[in-house]
Amino acid sequence: MLQFCRLPAAEASIRITREPLLAASINPMQYGQFVEYLCDLVPAMWAEKLYDGSFEGLSSYKFAFIKQTDFKEKSWYPSGAVNRGHYTLDKEARVNGQVSQKIAVDGTAACTLGLSQDGIFVGTGQPCEFKCWLKSEGLHGSVRVMLHHEGTVYAASQFRPNREWKKFQARLKPVGQDVNATLSFEFQGPGTLWIDHVSLMPSDTVNGWRPDVVEAVGALKPGIIRFGGSALDEPGFGEFEWKDTIGDPDYRKPFRAWGGLQPTGPGLEEFVQFCHAVQAEPLICVRFSGRTALDAAEEIEYFNGSTNTPMGARRAANGHPGPYGIKYWQIGNERQSSEYDQQAAAFCEAMKAIDPAIHILSSFPTAGSLKKAGAYFDYVCPHHYTPDLPECERSLDSIRQLLHENAPGRDIKVAVTEWNTTAGDWGLGRATLMTLANALACSRYHNLLHRHCDLVEIANRSNLINSFGSGIIQTDNHRLYKTPTYYAQLLYATLAGERPLRIESTDSSTAGLDLSATLRAKDDELILFAVNPTLADITRPLDLSAFGSRGQSAPVWTLADRDHAGEPDVRNSFGDPDRIRARRALFRARESRFNYRFPALSLTVLQWRGARGSSPARSNTSRQPSPVQGQRSF
């Protein structure tokens, strides 16, 4: 337990008032997240254990972090008596995609050969659902599929294909654990075998998504998750077409994003289901470049239309008769042009004609788009990719003025649909996104959003998973760890109050600190966020007397380096996943005015009960972890 310290009465202090800073409330959607087809982002969330199930060919990404280790995908390779086999890609006989894998065996003597892929995690007794499409000519025996490693077979099944394509399925239940198992097709020649659309998924997925990822994201209370990005709307970054991602996954068209081959299973409909699983609103960005208003209207109709509409009927045929009722739709990703200004209104009209209840988000805000389509926009959407908070504040101030001049009388809000401290730092500099320093910079941005909550209702941090270090969650083939920024966002999303409060202070009393004071009105609790990004501890006097004169034992969460190395660039890893995380303790104050020491390189969150408030144990448990005595992490 941290001990109290009495404050000299005459000393200047940081005084937290009960006066609202603004007439608005902090929207929980300020703690939103962002998903796009960016390199290994979506594959890192999806539970599929195999790469390139349709044999389209793996390809490197267009950008790099640590180029020697970035590309983790495993290729298929010939196995067994490969000297007897001719391995070709067949463009004529295929199930989905452009090709299937054809293996033709030379000669008349018997031989055993096949196809393999390494790098698969299997767990003892953890069943997997295996699926593939096969056809054959001239084979007289079965095709064996097995999970194995160095002479140990963990699970196996056999299939008997014929001259017609047929889908085969089996549940494989491994009898051992291995982080680098191999899946192999094995058959006896002579004869010819065709293989297509191979999949190996754990039996316990959440609609195909990794349960550990769903749990970690759900704990963040993200409010809203955006689907968009460059692969959707910029030529050269992807081949995305939303209609290719719906319907039976066996027949979906594989595509590439930022150079890398994407799995066909996690399509746009699965993204919406992921949002529902983590109790977040989906925000979908519709493609603008090369598309028409009719295309956008069809997308709205597919997700929100009734079954007596053409696209609603198509959704029902795909297994989901009930409309999804998606509320938030953005037109285009990072579009800013005269073409956009001229056509945005037509997109809005067509989309609203399908579902008048939707909220429409613009792309980058411009005077032209507001003059032409401001009557339809509910949000305008800048992107902030900089640690320069004054620059971000100038951006928001300029948007206020832009709205005032070009959309008078319209209560248009801001949705920062992508933000981070950088977007373009590739190469080794990308590692900064995984550091404690980044977590503190992101915390300061959250404080900024609190101070502008009358304007900013939605913010989506970029990105969610992997993404060469920008993801707040990092995964490999069987585990994950959370970066320092994950824990910072967890504190804001689960602890912050809904009302920002005015802080009275002098420049000297707040020097070195970035503060945000929020009130949980229901429980009459002050939640104070304090970021100390400096290399030295900072002790400051706090005055919380507006919440009563009596002291108390106050829960305090501190996000800092467990090892106190004094280095801003420390980070978590698979080997040490808990070095930087939020640790909880109790601070005992004899009265409501006291000195508090804010550790170097830290985010501190202090919870203080008001005179009318309840005890921490009775606080809002839907948004806060249960308080525990002593030090605790979460």
Side-chain angles (χ1 to χ4, degrees), residues 105-117:
V105 181
D106 271 344
T108 58
C111 65
T112 300
L113 74 170
L115 193 72
S116 297
Q117 186 177 129

Side-chain angles (χ1 to χ4, degrees), residues 35-59:
V35 169
E36 62 174 317
Y37 290 113
L38 167 66
C39 303
D40 66 338
L41 193 163
V42 173
M45 303 168 61
W46 192 243
E48 178 61 63
K49 292 179 175 290
L50 298 174
Y51 295 103
D52 192 15
S54 297
F55 304 99
E56 302 297 297
L58 296 174
S59 52

Side-chain angles (χ1 to χ4, degrees), residues 63-327:
F63 298 90
F65 167 31
I66 302 175
K67 60 183 180 181
Q68 296 86 347
T69 61
D70 282 343
F71 200 71
K72 306 180 183 69
E73 287 80 346
K74 303 293 184 180
S75 297
W76 294 102
Y77 61 89
S79 54
V82 297
N83 56 298
R84 292 281 303 280
H86 284 286
Y87 291 79
T88 58
L89 298 176
D90 193 331
K91 295 182 179 180
E92 302 300 326
R94 53 194 172 89
V95 176
N96 76 332
Q98 301 298 311
V99 297
S100 67
Q101 177 66 67
K102 179 181 179 182
I103 308 171
V105 181
D106 271 344
T108 58
C111 65
T112 300
L113 74 170
L115 193 72
S116 297
Q117 186 177 129
D118 300 333
I120 300 165
F121 172 78
V122 295
T124 304
Q126 298 178 17
C128 294
E129 306 301 328
F130 176 80
K131 303 175 185 179
C132 69
W133 287 78
L134 302 174
K135 78 167 192 168
S136 67
E137 287 183 1
L139 292 188
H140 300 289
S142 299
V143 175
R144 188 183 189 209
V145 173
M146 57 182 175
L147 287 165
H148 62 103
H149 188 204
E150 295 182 345
T152 300
V153 176
Y154 299 115
S157 188
Q158 296 190 47
F159 310 122
R160 293 192 66 96
N162 55 32
R163 296 176 64 91
E164 301 296 327
W165 281 113
K166 182 179 179 182
K167 184 177 182 179
F168 294 91
Q169 303 181 69
R171 172 166 287 195
L172 302 179
K173 191 172 183 179
V175 295
Q177 180 161 312
D178 200 318
V179 299
N180 190 28
T182 298
L183 182 131
S184 292
F185 289 89
E186 185 179 273
F187 67 98
Q188 189 177 70
T192 303
L193 177 69
W194 286 262
I195 310 171
D196 206 356
H197 202 72
V198 187
S199 173
L200 182 68
M201 297 275 281
S203 299
D204 64 347
T205 69
V206 180
N207 295 321
W209 301 101
R210 287 177 53 153
D212 57 346
V213 170
V214 171
E215 180 181 9
V217 176
L220 281 172
K221 309 292 184 189
I224 191 167
I225 302 177
R226 175 185 184 247
F227 169 82
S230 296
L232 176 140
D233 214 18
E234 286 190 39
F237 281 89
E239 307 162 1
F240 177 81
E241 168 54 57
W242 76 271
K243 290 179 182 177
D244 291 339
T245 76
I246 61 174
D248 188 340
D250 285 346
Y251 301 104
R252 293 180 187 174
K253 177 184 176 182
F255 67 98
R256 301 178 196 274
W258 294 62
L261 183 68
Q262 301 294 303
T264 56
L268 198 51
E269 207 160 355
E270 284 79 13
F271 163 75
V272 174
Q273 292 164 2
F274 176 85
C275 292
H276 291 171
V278 300
Q279 299 182 0
E281 292 281 356
L283 189 172
I284 294 180
C285 186
V286 301
R287 184 170 176 176
F288 176 80
S289 60
R291 296 296 182 268
T292 67
L294 177 61
D295 296 320
E298 284 188 332
E299 193 168 350
I300 304 291
E301 186 175 277
Y302 181 85
F303 285 96
N304 290 5
S306 66
T307 54
N308 61 9
T309 64
M311 295 304 294
R314 183 170 174 179
R315 182 195 65 243
N318 288 338
H320 201 286
Y324 284 101
I326 298 172
K327 303 174 185 176

Side-chain angles (χ1 to χ4, degrees), residues 64-66 70 420-422 424-439 461 466-471 474 481 483-485 568-572:
F65 167 31
I66 302 175
D70 282 343
N420 205 329
T421 55
T422 179
D425 281 346
W426 296 97
L428 299 181
R430 190 83 170 166
T432 189
L433 295 167
M434 307 175 76
T435 64
L436 174 58
N438 181 258
R461 187 193 172 279
N466 284 21
S467 305
F468 293 169
S470 72
Q474 297 289 310
Y481 72 87
T483 68
T485 303
D569 296 308
V570 293
R571 50 186 276 192
N572 294 333

Side-chain angles (χ1 to χ4, degrees), residues 450-598:
H450 286 179
R451 295 190 288 269
H452 288 272
C453 68
D454 61 327
L455 179 66
V456 183
E457 289 190 346
I458 295 171
N460 305 94
R461 187 193 172 279
S462 171
N463 248 307
L464 185 58
I465 310 284
N466 284 21
S467 305
F468 293 169
S470 72
I472 55 174
I473 298 169
Q474 297 289 310
T475 71
D476 65 8
N477 68 353
H478 69 289
R479 57 188 174 166
L480 63 76
Y481 72 87
K482 301 156 186 174
T483 68
T485 303
Y486 174 96
Y487 291 109
Q489 294 202 283
L490 182 66
L491 289 171
Y492 278 90
T494 61
L495 294 176
E498 69 277 7
R499 296 182 185 174
L501 298 176
R502 187 168 61 85
I503 300 174
E504 294 180 348
S505 63
T506 63
D507 290 341
S508 60
S509 63
T510 57
L513 298 176
D514 190 311
L515 304 173
S516 174
T518 67
L519 177 69
R520 275 204 198 133
K522 177 183 176 182
D523 301 309
D524 195 35
E525 288 177 347
L526 163 69
I527 309 295
L528 176 66
F529 295 87
V531 182
N532 176 6
T534 75
L535 298 178
D537 294 354
I538 296 176
T539 299
R540 292 290 185 265
L542 296 181
D543 182 351
L544 310 184
S545 58
F547 295 84
S549 59
R550 299 179 62 181
Q552 57 184 267
S553 292
V556 179
W557 288 263
T558 306
L559 179 70
D561 179 12
R562 179 200 62 210
D563 297 343
H564 308 291
E567 300 176 7
D569 296 308
V570 293
R571 50 186 276 192
N572 294 333
S573 64
F574 284 116
D576 191 357
D578 296 328
R579 178 169 179 173
I580 299 103
R581 66 182 303 165
R583 292 174 169 85
R584 182 187 182 279
L586 291 178
F587 178 83
R588 187 162 65 91
R590 186 170 294 175
E591 55 187 40
S592 57
R593 299 180 70 241
F594 52 87
N595 284 330
Y596 193 88
R597 179 181 61 82
F598 299 94

Side-chain angles (χ1 to χ4, degrees), residues 334-352:
E334 297 185 345
R335 299 294 92 190
Q336 189 174 21
S337 64
S338 59
E339 179 189 13
Y340 188 90
D341 294 346
Q342 295 298 322
Q343 296 184 18
F347 273 70
C348 294
E349 290 171 357
M351 294 162 69
K352 284 277 192 178

